Short mmCIF file of all heavy atoms in Angstrom, two decimals:
data_model
loop_
_atom_site.label_atom_id
_atom_site.label_comp_id
_atom_site.label_asym_id
_atom_site.label_seq_id
_atom_site.Cartn_x
_atom_site.Cartn_y
_atom_site.Cartn_z
N GLU C 365 -10.31 -21.37 -25.28
CA GLU C 365 -11.22 -22.45 -25.70
C GLU C 365 -12.39 -22.58 -24.74
O GLU C 365 -13.53 -22.83 -25.15
CB GLU C 365 -10.46 -23.79 -25.76
CG GLU C 365 -9.41 -23.87 -26.87
CD GLU C 365 -8.15 -23.06 -26.60
OE1 GLU C 365 -7.81 -22.83 -25.41
OE2 GLU C 365 -7.50 -22.60 -27.57
N ASP C 366 -12.14 -22.41 -23.43
CA ASP C 366 -13.24 -22.46 -22.45
C ASP C 366 -14.28 -21.39 -22.76
O ASP C 366 -15.48 -21.65 -22.72
CB ASP C 366 -12.70 -22.22 -21.02
CG ASP C 366 -11.87 -23.39 -20.50
OD1 ASP C 366 -12.19 -24.54 -20.84
OD2 ASP C 366 -10.92 -23.13 -19.74
N PHE C 367 -13.81 -20.19 -23.08
CA PHE C 367 -14.75 -19.10 -23.37
C PHE C 367 -15.51 -19.38 -24.67
O PHE C 367 -16.70 -19.09 -24.78
CB PHE C 367 -14.01 -17.76 -23.46
CG PHE C 367 -13.66 -17.18 -22.12
CD1 PHE C 367 -12.35 -17.15 -21.67
CD2 PHE C 367 -14.65 -16.69 -21.28
CE1 PHE C 367 -12.02 -16.63 -20.42
CE2 PHE C 367 -14.34 -16.16 -20.03
CZ PHE C 367 -13.02 -16.14 -19.60
N GLU C 368 -14.81 -19.98 -25.65
CA GLU C 368 -15.50 -20.33 -26.90
C GLU C 368 -16.65 -21.28 -26.61
O GLU C 368 -17.74 -21.16 -27.18
CB GLU C 368 -14.51 -20.98 -27.88
CG GLU C 368 -13.52 -20.00 -28.49
CD GLU C 368 -12.58 -20.70 -29.45
OE1 GLU C 368 -13.01 -21.01 -30.57
OE2 GLU C 368 -11.41 -20.95 -29.07
N GLN C 369 -16.41 -22.23 -25.71
CA GLN C 369 -17.48 -23.19 -25.36
C GLN C 369 -18.65 -22.50 -24.68
O GLN C 369 -19.81 -22.84 -24.92
CB GLN C 369 -16.92 -24.28 -24.46
CG GLN C 369 -16.12 -25.31 -25.25
CD GLN C 369 -15.56 -26.41 -24.36
OE1 GLN C 369 -16.07 -26.63 -23.27
NE2 GLN C 369 -14.51 -27.06 -24.81
N VAL C 370 -18.35 -21.53 -23.80
CA VAL C 370 -19.43 -20.82 -23.12
C VAL C 370 -20.29 -20.08 -24.15
O VAL C 370 -21.52 -20.15 -24.11
CB VAL C 370 -18.87 -19.83 -22.07
CG1 VAL C 370 -19.99 -18.96 -21.50
CG2 VAL C 370 -18.18 -20.59 -20.95
N TYR C 371 -19.63 -19.41 -25.11
CA TYR C 371 -20.41 -18.71 -26.15
C TYR C 371 -21.25 -19.71 -26.96
O TYR C 371 -22.39 -19.41 -27.35
CB TYR C 371 -19.50 -17.89 -27.06
CG TYR C 371 -19.02 -16.60 -26.42
CD1 TYR C 371 -17.67 -16.37 -26.16
CD2 TYR C 371 -19.94 -15.60 -26.07
CE1 TYR C 371 -17.24 -15.18 -25.57
CE2 TYR C 371 -19.51 -14.42 -25.49
CZ TYR C 371 -18.15 -14.22 -25.24
OH TYR C 371 -17.74 -13.05 -24.65
N GLY C 372 -20.68 -20.89 -27.20
CA GLY C 372 -21.42 -21.93 -27.92
C GLY C 372 -22.68 -22.34 -27.15
O GLY C 372 -23.76 -22.48 -27.72
N LYS C 373 -22.53 -22.49 -25.85
CA LYS C 373 -23.67 -22.86 -25.01
C LYS C 373 -24.73 -21.77 -25.02
O LYS C 373 -25.93 -22.05 -25.01
CB LYS C 373 -23.22 -23.11 -23.57
CG LYS C 373 -22.56 -24.46 -23.36
CD LYS C 373 -22.30 -24.68 -21.89
CE LYS C 373 -21.65 -26.03 -21.64
NZ LYS C 373 -21.43 -26.29 -20.22
N LEU C 374 -24.28 -20.52 -25.01
CA LEU C 374 -25.24 -19.39 -25.01
C LEU C 374 -26.06 -19.39 -26.30
O LEU C 374 -27.27 -19.12 -26.27
CB LEU C 374 -24.50 -18.06 -24.86
CG LEU C 374 -23.95 -17.74 -23.48
CD1 LEU C 374 -23.26 -16.38 -23.49
CD2 LEU C 374 -25.05 -17.76 -22.42
N GLU C 375 -25.40 -19.69 -27.40
CA GLU C 375 -26.11 -19.70 -28.68
C GLU C 375 -27.20 -20.79 -28.65
O GLU C 375 -28.34 -20.56 -29.06
CB GLU C 375 -25.10 -19.98 -29.79
CG GLU C 375 -25.67 -19.74 -31.17
CD GLU C 375 -24.69 -20.14 -32.26
OE1 GLU C 375 -23.51 -20.41 -31.95
OE2 GLU C 375 -25.13 -20.21 -33.42
N LYS C 376 -26.83 -21.95 -28.12
CA LYS C 376 -27.77 -23.06 -28.02
C LYS C 376 -28.92 -22.69 -27.08
O LYS C 376 -30.09 -22.92 -27.37
CB LYS C 376 -27.02 -24.27 -27.47
CG LYS C 376 -27.73 -25.58 -27.59
CD LYS C 376 -26.73 -26.74 -27.61
CE LYS C 376 -27.45 -28.08 -27.55
NZ LYS C 376 -27.54 -28.61 -26.19
N LEU C 377 -28.56 -22.09 -25.98
CA LEU C 377 -29.55 -21.68 -24.98
C LEU C 377 -30.57 -20.73 -25.59
O LEU C 377 -31.78 -20.85 -25.37
CB LEU C 377 -28.81 -21.00 -23.83
CG LEU C 377 -29.62 -20.34 -22.73
CD1 LEU C 377 -30.42 -21.38 -21.98
CD2 LEU C 377 -28.69 -19.61 -21.77
N SER C 378 -30.08 -19.80 -26.38
CA SER C 378 -30.98 -18.79 -26.92
C SER C 378 -31.89 -19.37 -28.00
O SER C 378 -32.98 -18.88 -28.21
CB SER C 378 -30.17 -17.59 -27.39
OG SER C 378 -30.28 -17.42 -28.74
N SER C 379 -31.44 -20.45 -28.67
CA SER C 379 -32.31 -21.05 -29.68
C SER C 379 -33.30 -22.03 -29.04
O SER C 379 -34.43 -22.15 -29.48
CB SER C 379 -31.49 -21.74 -30.77
OG SER C 379 -30.69 -22.73 -30.19
N GLU C 380 -32.88 -22.67 -27.97
CA GLU C 380 -33.77 -23.70 -27.38
C GLU C 380 -34.53 -23.21 -26.14
O GLU C 380 -35.49 -23.85 -25.72
CB GLU C 380 -32.93 -24.94 -27.02
CG GLU C 380 -32.37 -25.61 -28.26
CD GLU C 380 -31.32 -26.66 -27.93
OE1 GLU C 380 -31.19 -27.03 -26.75
OE2 GLU C 380 -30.63 -27.10 -28.86
N HIS C 381 -34.07 -22.12 -25.56
CA HIS C 381 -34.72 -21.53 -24.38
C HIS C 381 -34.92 -22.51 -23.24
O HIS C 381 -35.81 -22.35 -22.43
CB HIS C 381 -36.07 -20.90 -24.74
CG HIS C 381 -35.91 -19.69 -25.59
ND1 HIS C 381 -35.41 -18.50 -25.13
CD2 HIS C 381 -36.17 -19.51 -26.91
CE1 HIS C 381 -35.36 -17.63 -26.13
NE2 HIS C 381 -35.81 -18.22 -27.20
N GLU C 382 -34.13 -23.55 -23.22
CA GLU C 382 -34.29 -24.50 -22.14
C GLU C 382 -32.99 -24.53 -21.34
O GLU C 382 -31.96 -24.96 -21.85
CB GLU C 382 -34.60 -25.88 -22.70
CG GLU C 382 -35.13 -26.81 -21.63
CD GLU C 382 -35.57 -28.14 -22.23
OE1 GLU C 382 -36.39 -28.11 -23.18
OE2 GLU C 382 -35.07 -29.16 -21.77
N ILE C 383 -33.07 -24.04 -20.12
CA ILE C 383 -31.85 -23.97 -19.32
C ILE C 383 -31.74 -25.24 -18.49
O ILE C 383 -32.53 -25.49 -17.60
CB ILE C 383 -31.87 -22.74 -18.40
CG1 ILE C 383 -32.02 -21.47 -19.24
CG2 ILE C 383 -30.60 -22.68 -17.56
CD1 ILE C 383 -32.10 -20.20 -18.44
N THR C 384 -30.77 -26.07 -18.83
CA THR C 384 -30.61 -27.31 -18.08
C THR C 384 -29.46 -27.20 -17.09
O THR C 384 -29.38 -27.95 -16.15
CB THR C 384 -30.33 -28.49 -19.03
OG1 THR C 384 -29.23 -28.12 -19.86
CG2 THR C 384 -31.54 -28.80 -19.88
N ASP C 385 -28.57 -26.26 -17.35
CA ASP C 385 -27.40 -26.15 -16.48
C ASP C 385 -27.24 -24.71 -16.01
O ASP C 385 -26.27 -24.05 -16.32
CB ASP C 385 -26.14 -26.65 -17.19
CG ASP C 385 -25.95 -25.95 -18.54
OD1 ASP C 385 -26.84 -25.18 -18.94
OD2 ASP C 385 -24.90 -26.16 -19.15
N MET C 386 -28.22 -24.24 -15.28
CA MET C 386 -28.25 -22.87 -14.77
C MET C 386 -26.98 -22.52 -14.01
O MET C 386 -26.41 -21.46 -14.16
CB MET C 386 -29.47 -22.77 -13.85
CG MET C 386 -29.62 -21.45 -13.16
SD MET C 386 -30.18 -20.22 -14.31
CE MET C 386 -29.66 -18.76 -13.46
#
Side-chain angles (χ1 to χ4, degrees):
Chain C
E365 292 74 27
D366 289 326
F367 282 109
E368 288 180 75
Q369 283 180 21
V370 173
Y371 283 117
K373 282 187 179 182
L374 286 181
E375 192 185 349
K376 193 155 173 264
L377 173 64
S378 115
S379 59
E380 294 168 12
H381 292 289
E382 195 175 306
I383 302 178
T384 52
D385 53 354
M386 176 74 201

